[in-house]
Amino acid sequence: MRRVTTAGSVAAVILLAAGCGSGGNAAGGGNSVQPAGAGKALADTYGSGNGTGGYGANPGQLTGSGAGADGAAAKAGGPAGQLAVREIENVGSVVTDSAGVTLYRFDKDTPQPPKSNCNGDCATAWPPVPADDASASAGIEAGLLGAVTRADGTKQLTLAGWPVYRYAKDTKAGEANGEGVGGTWHALAPDGKKAVDKKQKEGGNSGAETGSGMGSGSGSEYGSGAGSGDQSEKTGTELSVAANEKLGKILVDGQWRTLYRFDKDSAWPMKIGCVGSCTDTWKPAAPVDKTKAVGIRPELIGTVKRPDGSEQLTIDCWPVYTFTGDTQPGQTNGHKKQNLWFAVTETGKKAA
């Protein structure tokens, strides 16, 4: 093993058992992995985390364009994008929109024929999901998606005939504060049934509808009570594609954190340029189970051994990272940092 010295760090050169090409090959065959950008101080390439060089001294002041209170979850009337299935504690396997926001059905609607009975104030608390731009992903049958014309003439998405809604009190990806509100609102399972019913039949918690973190309701048919805090979420999907308003389709991990690639890394020959204190700001993404990845070709998913011996996730041979400056699920505050860091598409390319 030889040592490659940079101005700011020393990192080991690791020989890989498999290699990555510049095209669509997965990680695999005999390449040296070494820190990129030899001869330059790494602190100049990724920033120290202070001032404009890093992600700022106060991450709470950063703004994002993804899910959460500042992003897609707040834009409740927006298109759904590619639907996904997420596992939510006490609720079960739940259908979400592309930003990870839970989708619901209303017991006073009808699926055959499809009809929405949620209008006026009800539709303010439970915004109907538009039918346009909705598509299915793994775990959801595309043939179950449809549309119904609402009283105001707009087209609303349906799943197995049931009109689909979001809940205004869900402000973060993975929340299900609307579950059980008024006894008539329920998170959707992938087949259009109630997720809690399916979970109960499979041996889940029969008290899920009133469990911690669910909406409390207000006695009305659509409810106005806020949910009680954040829920802990079971990790189901470990890697998926999110539709970002500004960047298009980008990769997120199982906690809905945006994944990034670094221009000082290299896919061929494989090099890692983010080492040492760089990883205090940019966290190497952990490997994933390919069977728990949605919306990405399995052969594009790989791993690389870092100089410290740990394994890092790669997408089309590019090492990927999360950004500590993203303080809400779905944020993209790291995109174009120092014009070196970029959100990643499902093919490993830089986002627009």
Side-chain angles (χ1 to χ4, degrees):
M1 183 181 297
R2 63 189 177 89
R3 297 187 179 273
V4 177
T5 303
T6 68
S9 66
V10 177
V13 178
I14 307 295
L15 296 178
L16 295 182
C20 277
S22 58
N25 296 327
N31 300 306
S32 295
V33 176
Q34 58 184 350
K40 295 184 179 180
L42 290 179
D44 294 333
T45 68
Y46 57 80
S48 63
N50 298 318
T52 58
Y55 63 86
N58 185 359
Q61 295 178 347
L62 294 169
T63 58
S65 58
D70 297 328
K75 297 180 179 179
Q82 187 177 53
L83 307 184
V85 180
R86 293 172 67 90
E87 192 73 19
I88 297 181
E89 187 174 19
N90 294 330
V91 183
S93 295
V94 168
V95 177
T96 72
D97 66 12
S98 60
V101 178
T102 299
L103 302 181
Y104 298 88
R105 48 173 275 182
F106 183 33
D107 282 353
K108 296 191 177 183
D109 289 346
T110 59
Q112 298 296 335
K115 182 181 179 182
S116 170
N117 289 307
C118 178
N119 300 287
D121 289 342
C122 175
T124 300
W126 301 91
V129 177
D132 58 323
D133 193 41
S135 61
S137 65
I140 303 172
E141 291 185 26
L144 294 180
L145 302 185
V148 62
T149 301
R150 295 179 52 77
D152 61 5
T154 60
K155 297 286 187 182
Q156 181 178 359
L157 177 66
T158 62
L159 179 62
W162 287 97
V164 179
Y165 306 83
R166 297 181 178 96
Y167 183 42
K169 299 295 183 180
D170 286 343
T171 60
K172 296 178 182 178
E175 287 187 332
N177 296 313
E179 173 54 48
V181 168
T184 56
W185 290 93
H186 300 283
L188 275 162
D191 58 1
K193 293 182 169 51
K194 302 173 187 178
V196 288
D197 285 353
K198 292 179 69 67
K199 182 178 179 66
Q200 184 174 349
K201 289 178 181 178
E202 294 166 1
N205 181 2
S206 61
E209 294 185 12
T210 57
S212 175
M214 299 301 105
S216 59
S218 64
S220 67
E221 67 178 18
Y222 51 85
S224 60
S228 56
D230 294 344
Q231 301 182 83
S232 61
E233 181 182 347
K234 290 182 180 178
T235 302
T237 301
E238 296 182 0
L239 180 68
S240 60
V241 180
N244 182 273
E245 181 183 14
K246 294 182 178 180
L247 304 181
K249 293 182 178 181
I250 58 174
L251 286 179
V252 295
D253 68 6
Q255 298 180 48
W256 222 257
R257 295 176 298 191
T258 299
L259 295 177
Y260 300 89
R261 52 176 273 188
F262 183 34
D263 273 2
K264 293 294 182 179
D265 288 346
S266 173
W268 183 262
M270 180 76 81
K271 295 179 181 179
I272 293 179
C274 182
V275 295
S277 60
C278 173
T279 59
D280 294 337
T281 301
W282 302 91
K283 301 296 185 181
V288 302
D289 182 345
K290 292 184 181 183
T291 65
K292 295 182 179 180
V294 176
I296 179 173
R297 301 204 316 270
E299 63 268 22
L300 294 180
I301 303 171
T303 62
V304 62
K305 183 172 287 187
R306 294 181 53 79
D308 63 4
S310 63
E311 295 286 332
Q312 181 175 0
L313 174 66
T314 63
I315 303 298
D316 194 27
C317 304
W318 282 95
V320 292
Y321 306 78
T322 57
F323 179 46
T324 56
D326 287 340
T327 59
Q328 296 274 354
Q331 286 186 333
T332 55
N333 296 315
H335 185 63
K336 289 191 174 180
K337 280 288 181 184
Q338 294 81 49
N339 209 31
L340 292 170
W341 293 91
F342 298 88
V344 180
T345 71
E346 72 274 20
T347 60
K349 303 293 189 296
K350 300 176 186 178

